[in-house]
Amino acid sequence: MIGPRSWVARRLLLGVAQTAAVVLLVFSLTEALPGDAAVALAGDQPDPERIAAIREAMHLDRPAYERLADWASGLLHGDFGTSLASGRPVSSYIADGFGPTVLLAVLTMVLLVPAGVGLGVLAAGHEGRFVDRLVSSVTLGVYAVPEFAFGVLLVTVFALRLGWLPPTAVGYGTDLLDHPAALVLPVLVLLSRPVCSLARLVRAGMIDALASPYVAQARRYGISGFRIRYAHALPNAIAPCAQQLARTVDWLLCGVIVVEALYVIPGLGTVLINAVAERDVPVVQGLAVVFGLTAVVLNLGADLVVHRLAPRAGVAA
Amino acid sequence: MNDVPDVSVNNSRFPGLRRRGFLAAAGGAAGLGALALAGCAGSGTAADPAKGDGKPKRGGRLRAAFAGGGASETLDPHLANLFADAARAKALFDKLADYGPDLSAQPRLASAWEPNAGMDRWKVTLRKAAFHDGKPVTAQDVLYSYRRIVDPAKAFRAKASLEPIDLKASRALDERTIEFVLKRPTAEFPNVLGAFGAYIVPEGLKDFDKKPIGSGPFRFVSFAPGESAVFKRNDAYWDGAPYLDELEFVVANEESARANALLGGQVEYAHELNPATARAYENKGQIQIVRLRNSAMQGFVMKTDRPPFDDKRVREAFFLLADRKELLDGALSGAGEIGNDLFGKGYEYYAGSLPQREQDLDRARKLLKEAGAEKLKVTLDTSPVAAGFTEAAAIFRDQAAKAGVRIEIRTGSKDSYWKDILDSGTLASYRSGAMPIESHISQRLLTGSTTNATHWRHKDFDALYQQAQSTKDKKDRAAVYERMQRRLHAEGGFLIWGFADWILGTAHSVRGVERKAPANSLDWARFDKVWLA
C-alpha cells in the first residue's frame, strides 16, 4: 500500500533525478553543437590568430569533462558561471531577464484563469445554443492564429492606426510596471491562445460533469443548480486543466520569444536569443538549466494539485 | 599632401556640411515629393527656398533604435563589434582620424600628419581636445590606447588594423605630438588611424561600463546593457557642442519592432530597416527613409588557386554570367547599385573609368569552351549569414544555367561560415562593409593577407601594393591603384555584383542626418550634427 506521503516523496525524488538529467543533457548538447564560440565571435574577420586568441581567452582549450565538473559543482552552489562575451556572472543575466518575464506571466495568469474558466462555464451553461456556438467558434478561430500574426495585427490596429497604445516597450528597460500601457498588447497576445484552450477544456469538462451520475443524484436531492454547478461540477471540470495551466505557466516563464522580440521586452527569451546568437555557452546552459528546473517544478506542482482536486488521478498513476 | 592642419581645410574637405543643411531644408518644408526625390538622388536636385527651419536648433532628446547585443553589451570602444557598439563608441569617444563619404581618412583628434621621406615614420599632431573629466588628450593617451588594442592577450578587433605600427619604437615627442614608427612604408597610414574600433581612451581607463570617459561629443549618463544608453551634450566638444541635449540609444533587435517604434513615435531614429519597410513608407509621409549608398559590397568569391577557377578564362566567364540588375532586384529588393567586380564603388581611388561589365552568355560560353570547361559543375557555398545571400545564390545558379554551367548550392552553418569559406570550397557568397580600397587590398588580396578568401597571391601584385605604399605623391599612387584594379577587374577572384544601401528611418522632426555616409564612415550614425526641429 502506498500512502500519499510516500507518493509525494517519490514524485520529489523523480524531480531531482530529472533535474540532474537536464544538467547533463544541456552540457552534452551544447558541446555537440557544430562550430565553436571563438569562430562565431570572430565573425567576418576569421583571422586564425584572432580566433586562437579568443579561444584562449574563453578557456575553450580546456577539455570538456573539466569544464563540466567545474560547471556542475558551481551549479550546486548556485554559481552559474560567467558569460564568455561580457565576463559578467550568468546569474545576473537570469536575474535581469526574470523580472519582465515573471511580470508578464503573472499578469497573464491572473487574467487567464477567470477569463478561461468563465468563458468555459458560460458556454457549457448554454450548451448547443447561440452563446455556446459563439464562444466555441471564436475561441477556435483565435486559437488558430499564431502569436506573431496576432501580435502584428494588434500593433497595427491599436498602436499605429488608432494610436491608443504604444507599439513597443522599447527603452523602458525592466521598469515595465511604470509603463502599464506598454503591457496591454503583449499580455493580450500571450492570453489569446491559452484562454481559448482553457475555455474549451473547461466547457468540455463542465458538460461531462453536468451529465454525470453524481450530478444527476445531486439534482434528485434538490441541491440548487448554482451549488451543483460551482461546488460540485466545476472542481471536477478544472482538474484536467491543472496540467494545461502548468504547461502554460512553463511556456510563459521560459520567455515567449516571439512576444518579447515583437514588443522589445527584455525578458528571458531575449536573453536566450542573444546568448545563442553570440555563442555565449555559459548563459545558454544556465538558462537551459533554469528552464528545465521550471518545467520540473511546475509539473510537480501540477501533479500535487491534481492529486488534491481529484485524488483518483493519483490512484490511477 | 598629407598635412591637413586646420579647421578651415578640414571643412573644405567636407562638402557634406553644406549638403546636410540643404537636405534638411528639402525634407523640412517641401513635403513628400521633394523628400522622395532627395532620397532617390542621394544629393537631391530640387532646391527649396523655405529654409525657415533649416537652421540647427538646440535642445531635445533623440532616441535611436539599433539592433544590439543583449546583456553582454559593453561601452568599451575597443570591443566594439556591432553597429550599435560603433554608434555608442562614436558618441563618447574619438579616433585620430575617421572616414569621409569616399572612405578617405579625415583628421579628427589628429590635426596633422606628416611622414618622413621613406613613409615609414609619421609625425602625428593632436588638436587641442579634452576628455570629459577636463584632462587634455595627450600623446600618452594615444599610445596607451593603441597598446591596449594590440595586447596579445586580448582579441580586440582593431588589432589587425594597427599591425603596421611598431608600438615599442613609437613614442611621444611632446604633449601633443606622437612619432609612429612603422614596420614598412605605409603611404595610407591615416587609414590605420581611422580603423574600426581604434578609439582613443584616457590613459589607465579600464572600467568602461560604469564611468566611461572619452573625448567625444556626448558625455555618459547611464547604461543598461541590452536596453538603453543615455548620453548628454558635451559642451566643451572640440568639434562644436552637439545640438541635442540628450541622446538615448535603445535596443530593439527585430526590424519590425524598430519600424513600429519609429512609426509609433517611441524613437526618432531607427537604424537598419528592410528594403520592404523602406518601400512601404518611403512616400507615405509618416517617416523619412534615408538610404546610405555604397554601404555593403555584395558578391561571390572564386578561389583562384584551384580548378576550375585557376584558369582566368573561367573567372572571366563567371563575371559574364552575372545579370547584376536581376541579382540586385532579387536579392536586395533593388535597394542598391550594381557592381563592376571591383570593391569600393565611389570611394577614393576607385577605378570608375573601367567599362561596366554586362551579362554576355555567348562570350561566357566561348571562354568556357576555350578553357575546356564546358558542362562545368561548381558548388556554391552560401549561408543565411547576411541578408540576400541565399537569394543571390539561387538567382546566380539560374543565370549560370543559361550558359550551361551547373551550380549546386550548399548552405552552410551561420556560425562558422566566414571561417569555412576562407580556405575551403571554390565559390562562395561574400559581402563586406565599407572600408578604404587600400584596406580591402591589404586585408584580402596580398600573399600575406589574413582573410584572403580568393587566394589571390601574386608577387607582382604584392610589389605594386608596396610601390603604392612607398609613393608619396597621391596622383602617382592613384595610378598604381588603378593598375591593380585593372588587373582585378580583368582576372580577379571577386565577382562583385552590387552594393547594398543601408536604410535608416527617422521621424520628420529629425534634421541634419547625413545621407552621403556609407555605414561605418564618420557621418554614419553621427548624432552631434543632428537636431530636432
Side-chain angles (χ1 to χ4, degrees):
Chain A
M1 194 66 204
I2 304 164
R5 253 255 183 67
S6 74
W7 180 85
V8 170
R10 268 194 316 145
R11 193 65 194 75
L12 284 172
L13 265 180
L14 183 67
V16 172
Q18 283 171 329
T19 309
V22 163
V23 169
L24 199 65
L25 193 70
V26 165
F27 189 84
S28 37
L29 281 180
T30 40
E31 280 301 304
L33 288 173
D36 85 22
V39 173
L41 274 180
D44 60 352
Q45 292 223 310
D47 174 351
E49 209 180 293
R50 192 172 134 86
I51 290 175
I54 296 175
R55 195 169 280 152
E56 202 182 316
M58 293 179 163
H59 305 293
L60 289 173
D61 46 355
R62 286 175 57 210
Y65 64 88
E66 270 184 36
R67 282 181 284 129
L68 171 62
D70 274 5
W71 181 60
S73 66
L75 284 182
L76 285 178
H77 303 100
D79 173 11
F80 286 81
T82 50
S83 152
L84 290 182
S86 71
R88 278 195 274 265
V90 173
S91 47
S92 76
Y93 280 65
I94 295 171
D96 287 349
F98 218 64
T101 295
V102 167
L103 177 64
L104 282 186
V106 167
L107 282 177
T108 306
M109 287 310 289
V110 163
L111 295 170
L112 168 63
V113 175
V117 172
L119 279 176
V121 170
L122 182 73
H126 298 80
E127 191 194 341
R129 277 175 287 161
F130 175 73
V131 174
D132 179 30
R133 266 188 260 151
L134 183 72
V135 170
S136 295
S137 49
V138 168
T139 52
L140 187 66
V142 173
Y143 190 77
V145 182
E147 280 94 13
F148 69 87
F150 195 58
V152 170
L153 186 76
L154 289 184
V155 169
T156 309
V157 174
F158 292 103
L160 301 184
R161 281 278 151 78
L162 300 171
W164 292 350
L165 295 163
T168 70
V170 72
Y172 297 159
T174 40
D175 310 325
L176 291 173
L177 266 184
D178 298 345
H179 305 274
L183 289 169
V184 175
L185 294 181
V187 167
L188 273 180
V189 176
L190 288 174
L191 269 176
S192 62
R193 298 185 74 214
V195 158
C196 298
S197 60
L198 184 64
R200 297 176 69 77
L201 263 177
V202 169
R203 174 187 173 274
M206 278 296 273
I207 289 172
D208 270 359
L210 289 174
S212 67
Y214 73 87
V215 167
Q217 186 64 17
R219 286 215 178 90
R220 284 192 282 276
Y221 277 133
I223 299 171
S224 77
F226 182 86
R227 230 183 112 191
I228 290 177
R229 203 170 292 149
Y230 296 102
H232 297 282
L234 188 59
N236 277 289
I238 289 181
C241 301
Q243 288 290 352
Q244 172 73 18
L245 284 175
R247 270 195 294 277
T248 305
V249 176
D250 189 24
W251 173 71
L252 290 169
L253 285 184
C254 293
V256 182
I257 289 161
V258 172
V259 172
E260 289 187 6
L262 186 61
Y263 295 102
V264 200
I265 291 165
L268 287 178
T270 307
V271 175
L272 178 67
I273 285 272
N274 285 322
V276 168
E278 287 197 304
R279 277 308 173 98
D280 200 339
V281 176
V283 178
V284 175
Q285 287 173 332
L287 281 170
V289 168
V290 168
F291 292 165
L293 215 62
T294 309
V296 168
V297 169
L298 284 170
N299 277 300
L300 190 67
D303 280 357
L304 296 180
V305 168
V306 172
H307 196 66
R308 180 87 190 75
L309 277 179
R312 63 194 139 83
V315 178
Chain B
M1 289 293 110
N2 292 287
D3 199 355
V4 198
D6 63 39
V7 182
S8 63
V9 174
N10 186 2
N11 273 348
S12 73
R13 289 185 64 175
F14 267 107
L17 283 176
R18 242 176 307 135
R19 180 171 44 250
R20 186 184 290 138
F22 162 72
L23 267 178
L32 316 179
L35 203 154
L37 235 170
C40 292
S43 58
T45 43
D48 188 79
K51 258 193 106 103
D53 49 18
K55 256 201 144 174
K57 217 179 103 192
R58 257 185 165 226
R61 168 192 269 217
L62 182 135
R63 293 163 297 180
F66 282 73
S72 307
E73 286 182 342
T74 165
L75 290 179
D76 184 339
H78 298 157
L79 282 173
N81 206 18
L82 304 169
F83 286 112
D85 298 332
R88 284 185 295 240
K90 175 177 284 187
L92 290 174
F93 300 91
D94 281 310
K95 295 190 266 195
L96 292 185
D98 213 333
Y99 302 128
D102 65 349
L103 275 287
S104 61
Q106 310 287 331
R108 299 295 294 161
L109 279 179
S111 61
W113 41 64
E114 187 60 44
N116 65 352
M119 313 294 282
D120 58 356
R121 266 167 202 264
W122 285 71
K123 212 157 79 178
V124 173
T125 310
L126 300 178
R127 71 174 68 248
K128 270 196 180 141
F131 287 112
H132 300 154
D133 59 1
K135 291 197 184 119
V137 179
T138 67
Q140 286 305 332
D141 298 313
V142 172
L143 288 171
Y144 168 80
S145 305
Y146 280 17
R147 287 185 179 136
R148 182 172 186 260
I149 291 171
V150 300
D151 181 352
K154 299 279 176 66
F156 290 129
R157 195 183 168 106
K159 191 179 152 205
S161 308
L162 298 189
E163 186 274 335
I165 310 176
D166 179 354
L167 278 168
K168 279 214 180 75
S170 302
R171 65 208 168 98
L173 296 181
D174 62 41
E175 186 82 331
R176 290 198 288 123
T177 317
I178 309 130
E179 186 190 48
F180 285 107
V181 178
L182 308 186
K183 295 173 186 164
R184 55 188 163 273
T186 308
E188 239 60 81
F189 180 64
N191 284 349
V192 173
L193 305 178
F196 189 92
Y199 291 95
I200 305 305
V201 303
E203 188 171 9
L205 183 65
K206 287 205 178 72
D207 185 5
F208 287 91
D209 291 345
K210 299 257 159 55
K211 207 170 186 305
I213 293 171
S215 60
F218 292 91
R219 293 163 185 268
F220 174 81
V221 175
S222 70
F223 177 50
E227 289 161 22
S228 102
V230 180
F231 304 150
K232 64 173 185 214
R233 174 173 48 225
N234 172 13
D235 282 309
Y237 189 49
W238 59 266
D239 198 12
Y243 302 119
L244 300 169
D245 288 340
E246 276 194 313
L247 171 63
E248 180 178 13
F249 290 96
V250 294
V251 169
N253 290 332
E254 280 300 301
E255 191 266 352
S256 65
R258 289 194 296 278
N260 286 338
L262 177 64
L263 289 164
Q266 292 186 303
V267 298
E268 287 77 34
Y269 180 103
H271 185 249
E272 209 183 339
L273 299 180
N274 289 341
T277 309
R279 264 207 315 271
Y281 296 104
E282 197 139 39
N283 298 315
K284 298 279 164 63
Q286 283 166 285
I287 54 174
Q288 304 180 70
I289 297 293
V290 178
R291 291 169 185 269
L292 305 178
R293 297 278 179 200
N294 297 336
S295 283
M297 173 220 115
Q298 309 283 325
F300 301 107
V301 284
M302 303 180 271
K303 293 268 181 300
T304 58
D305 64 343
R306 64 195 66 170
F309 298 115
D310 52 353
D311 187 323
K312 67 178 182 184
R313 288 170 297 192
V314 177
R315 301 202 291 272
E316 195 189 343
F318 267 64
F319 288 147
L320 295 167
L321 291 177
D323 178 343
R324 289 138 210 269
K325 184 81 179 52
E326 190 183 34
L327 281 160
L328 186 70
D329 289 342
L332 300 176
S333 305
E337 289 180 49
I338 58 167
N340 194 24
D341 303 321
L342 287 175
F343 180 84
K345 192 173 190 175
Y347 300 174
E348 190 183 29
Y349 302 126
Y350 182 74
S353 59
L354 294 177
Q356 172 63 50
R357 200 169 255 135
E358 307 281 350
Q359 188 183 44
D360 186 343
L361 297 176
D362 290 335
R363 186 158 158 66
R365 257 189 232 108
K366 201 169 143 259
L367 282 164
L368 289 171
K369 200 170 168 191
E370 278 171 30
E374 292 160 289
K375 303 225 170 86
L376 186 61
K377 246 182 87 177
V378 186
T379 302
L380 167 57
D381 285 298
T382 191
S383 166
V385 71
F389 262 28
T390 51
E391 293 86 346
I395 294 167
F396 187 60
R397 175 192 58 200
D398 296 347
Q399 293 175 352
K402 288 183 198 153
V405 177
R406 263 185 64 196
I407 289 181
E408 196 178 298
I409 294 174
R410 183 165 61 193
T411 307
S413 152
K414 253 165 104 166
D415 291 321
S416 52
Y417 181 74
W418 296 108
K419 180 161 189 296
D420 293 344
I421 62 150
L422 192 55
D423 293 310
S424 39
T426 53
L427 179 66
S429 300
Y430 200 86
R431 76 172 285 286
S432 166
M435 62 173 76
I437 287 174
E438 177 271 325
S439 306
H440 166 71
I441 294 173
S442 71
Q443 289 180 21
R444 299 177 181 140
L445 292 165
L446 301 181
T447 303
S449 297
T450 47
T451 50
N452 191 339
T454 56
H455 286 218
W456 176 262
R457 293 184 179 121
H458 298 277
K459 287 276 167 281
D460 48 343
F461 192 84
D462 295 354
L464 278 178
Y465 176 77
Q466 287 313 329
Q467 186 192 330
Q469 292 312 310
S470 319
T471 304
K472 194 162 186 177
D473 184 75
K474 200 170 162 185
K475 245 203 191 129
D476 294 347
R477 214 155 60 224
V480 181
Y481 286 128
E482 166 129 11
R483 267 179 74 189
M484 298 172 83
Q485 291 180 74
R486 217 168 257 289
R487 172 135 183 229
L488 292 171
H489 183 254
E491 52 163 312
F494 276 100
L495 194 178
I496 295 168
W497 55 260
F499 294 90
D501 293 344
W502 201 254
I503 304 174
L504 317 171
T506 68
H508 275 302
S509 58
V510 178
R511 303 290 154 78
V513 174
E514 179 58 54
R515 281 157 194 260
K516 212 167 177 314
N520 284 344
S521 66
L522 171 63
D523 290 331
W524 160 84
R526 182 180 180 185
F527 294 102
D528 55 317
K529 303 294 178 202
V530 167
W531 71 96
L532 297 169

